[in-house]
Amino acid sequence: MKLACFITKDRLIGDSKVEALLAALKEIGAELYDVKTPEDIRPGTDVLLSLGGDGTFLSAAPLAYAHSLPVLGVNFGRLGFLSEYAPQQVVNALRDSGFEVEERELLKVSVEGADLGGLWPYALNEVSVSRVSASMLGTDVCVDGSDLPTYWADGLLVATSSGSTAYSLSVGGPICLPDSKVFIVAPISPHNLNVRPLIIPHRSSVEISLRSRDEMAVFSMDNRTIQIPATAKIRVCAADRKLKRIRIGKSNFINALRTKLLWGEDVRNGKDMIL
């Protein structure tokens, strides 16, 4: 098996835990090499290993997408919903072929009236637009030709089900199982008391325009950020292809919520608790 290794954090280069993982993979017969760009991917590569946290996984996505490779996230970070697997889990799974390839929905983005500067026009977690100053941002959203009420807020995001535990969670969006075929439209710190995040079908087309006192706005696709003119028009829809991701065993998303985010943690939930 030929494995491409992707690392973005300097602190992990030469780290003893990383070196131990690479040595263990070589022991089971894996061929390893390092990559930084899509051009570094060699013919015959089977899997792209993302070594780090979820931020590293997001940075690895363009490389994997360019070559239709599955990404396997090895957790050397913190929570890890995309990079959720411990090094030994990865070694065992690759040795025993104890894994499956799943597909994750991607957002495809186009912006009229702005230059994205060569940024990869896709997002695995979310697309967001936000204010550059203290002035409130008005966001007009049209879903499949139907206009939503204007959001007056710090900004707005459109997230995938994969991204429901990322930025969307922080702004009060709902948690969705990763295989849910939905997108989330959610305001960022809204100034309207009567607006809520909205779940829409994953085949919807979302068009966004802005009302701002500022000339520019901050535009982000996952962990890539630029400034765009406030007059720009943003269109978000499902990408034609999905991102391939390695899943080891029967990954339990609900259990991950309980252990990583302490979902439902309450002293009254203890088995020995007498009510």
Side-chain angles (χ1 to χ4, degrees):
M1 177 176 284
K2 184 181 290 187
L3 307 175
C5 301
F6 182 79
I7 299 177
T8 58
K9 301 296 184 182
D10 291 339
R11 65 177 177 80
L12 292 180
I13 299 175
D15 180 87
S16 59
K17 294 180 180 179
V18 173
E19 292 300 315
L21 168 64
L22 300 181
L25 290 172
K26 290 177 181 178
E27 287 182 4
I28 64 172
E31 177 185 344
L32 307 174
Y33 68 97
D34 296 330
V35 296
K36 293 293 184 184
T37 68
E39 291 72 30
D40 296 332
I41 302 291
R42 299 175 186 174
T45 299
D46 297 296
V47 174
L48 176 61
L49 285 182
S50 170
L51 308 177
D54 283 355
T56 301
F57 192 102
L58 293 174
S59 296
L63 284 69
Y65 187 82
H67 294 271
S68 296
L69 286 176
V71 189
L72 175 49
V74 190
N75 194 341
F76 291 100
R78 293 189 287 265
L79 290 177
F81 278 95
L82 296 170
S83 295
E84 64 176 308
Y85 302 113
Q88 193 56 51
Q89 284 181 281
V90 170
V91 175
N92 294 342
L94 294 179
R95 180 193 61 209
D96 303 331
S97 298
F99 62 88
E100 298 179 355
V101 177
E102 64 179 12
E103 293 186 326
R104 293 291 183 96
E105 196 84 57
L106 290 169
L107 297 169
K108 181 180 179 181
V109 184
S110 61
V111 182
E112 179 185 338
D115 181 6
L116 296 183
L119 289 181
W120 191 54
Y122 300 94
L124 176 59
N125 275 349
E126 76 279 316
V127 172
S128 69
V129 60
S130 56
R131 63 183 187 173
V132 296
S133 72
S135 297
M136 198 179 308
L137 188 66
T139 308
D140 291 318
V141 182
C142 181
V143 178
D144 291 335
S146 296
D147 294 328
L148 303 183
T150 299
Y151 291 100
W152 292 101
D154 285 358
L156 182 116
L157 64 81
V158 181
T160 64
S161 54
S162 295
S164 73
T165 51
Y167 194 7
S168 177
L169 179 69
S170 300
V171 303
I175 295 175
C176 304
L177 272 63
D179 57 354
S180 302
K181 298 184 182 301
V182 299
F183 291 153
I184 301 164
V185 178
I188 302 168
S189 301
H191 200 256
N192 309 61
L193 293 177
N194 57 348
V195 295
R196 294 290 185 271
L198 179 69
I199 296 177
I200 62 176
H202 73 130
R203 289 305 178 194
S204 299
S205 175
V206 181
E207 297 178 355
I208 301 170
S209 59
L210 307 176
R211 305 185 191 188
S212 177
R213 295 177 181 175
D214 299 307
E215 294 183 356
M216 306 296 288
V218 177
F219 179 67
S220 298
M221 295 177 288
D222 289 338
N223 54 357
R224 309 177 306 281
T225 300
I226 61 171
Q227 288 195 6
I228 62 172
T231 53
K233 309 294 183 183
I234 303 164
R235 183 176 183 271
V236 183
C237 62
D240 295 332
R241 285 196 291 131
K242 296 178 174 63
L243 181 73
K244 297 178 181 179
R245 176 182 179 269
I246 296 289
R247 184 180 68 229
I248 295 176
K250 294 183 178 180
S251 181
N252 191 320
F253 180 72
I254 299 298
N255 186 59
L257 291 176
R258 296 170 68 97
T259 57
K260 295 177 185 293
L261 294 182
L262 304 180
W263 188 36
E265 191 73 13
D266 191 315
V267 294
R268 295 169 295 182
N269 294 339
K271 292 183 179 180
D272 300 327
M273 188 67 181
I274 300 176
L275 299 178

